[in-house]
Amino acid sequence: MKNSYCLFVFLSILLSFSCSLNYMNSQNSEDKIPEFSFKNANYFKYEAGKKNISLTAEKLEQYKSDNAVFAKNAEFETFDKEGKLETKGACGLVSASTQKEIYTLYDEIKLELPKQEMTIEAESLNFNKRTEQITSSRTGEVKLNKKDIRMSGYGFSASGVSNSFSFIDSVSGTIVTGEQKDEE
């Protein structure tokens, strides 16, 4: 009897320590459920009474916890403060942190930048609106057409501030000069 009582006490103590629940570390279920979810969405954002962003997407989701927005099979346009087109593009997936103004694009990306007379094609790009930087991964190929330049390479970055771009690896392409243009 004494042995069974000791065993009972021992198991009770062991179970009480091993079954503690920590409610402070539990995740809020709202973090994983979108605040809004739309199919065949048309989204427009206005600033100072002028259209800033136009977006159409097969699916659009917004999450409350970190101001994240995701769009599937998206086509979009961005406009400057005067209402002139800055960027026109399409891609398979957009991931946006609207609070940090960081946008990541995936799958068959096609961007047109009319002011720079540039088009960009890639599989993955990151855009930081605050620093006006576009970057790719080191391993993802980017194709660029700008006026008389057709290039492709890896490790692409472009700056809207300095209006410059660079590749860090395996660059190839064609640059057509004014003399060659006249000959053609």
Side-chain angles (χ1 to χ4, degrees), residues 74 90-93 105-111 120-124:
C91 64
L93 180 66
L105 312 173
Y106 301 99
D107 299 331
E108 298 180 27
I109 303 162
K110 293 180 182 168
L111 294 177
I120 300 170
E121 294 181 29
E123 286 299 312
S124 174

Side-chain angles (χ1 to χ4, degrees), residues 9-147:
V9 171
F10 176 75
L11 285 175
S12 297
I13 292 171
L14 180 64
L15 289 175
S16 69
F17 285 117
S18 64
C19 292
S20 66
L21 295 175
N22 186 351
Y23 292 102
M24 301 301 283
N25 288 334
S26 67
Q27 267 191 326
N28 187 348
S29 64
E30 288 182 8
D31 293 346
K32 296 181 182 184
I33 299 171
E35 182 178 24
F36 300 107
S37 183
F38 301 103
K39 289 185 178 182
N40 301 318
N42 291 311
Y43 171 82
F44 303 97
K45 180 182 172 194
Y46 289 84
E47 285 184 9
K50 294 188 180 179
K51 190 179 347 181
N52 183 335
I53 295 173
S54 170
L55 171 79
T56 60
E58 181 180 314
K59 188 171 186 179
L60 180 67
E61 294 182 343
Q62 179 175 334
Y63 291 80
K64 185 177 183 178
S65 61
D66 55 359
N67 292 326
V69 176
F70 298 93
K72 180 180 178 183
N73 295 328
E75 293 182 15
F76 53 89
E77 295 176 326
T78 63
F79 302 90
D80 65 14
K81 292 178 183 179
E82 288 80 43
K84 294 181 182 175
L85 183 65
E86 275 187 321
T87 308
K88 182 177 182 177
C91 64
L93 180 66
V94 175
S95 169
S97 171
T98 56
Q99 190 174 34
K100 295 178 182 176
E101 297 185 290
I102 296 174
Y103 306 87
T104 305
L105 312 173
Y106 301 99
D107 299 331
E108 298 180 27
I109 303 162
K110 293 180 182 168
L111 294 177
E112 295 175 30
L113 307 165
K115 289 181 181 178
Q116 290 84 14
E117 298 181 44
M118 183 187 315
T119 61
I120 300 170
E121 294 181 29
E123 286 299 312
S124 174
L125 289 174
N126 297 303
F127 174 63
N128 185 323
K129 188 173 180 181
R130 291 180 184 169
T131 62
E132 296 185 38
Q133 289 282 125
I134 298 175
T135 57
S136 74
S137 69
R138 261 188 106 108
T139 58
E141 182 180 22
V142 174
K143 296 176 183 177
L144 177 126
N145 292 316
K146 181 177 172 129
K147 295 181 185 176

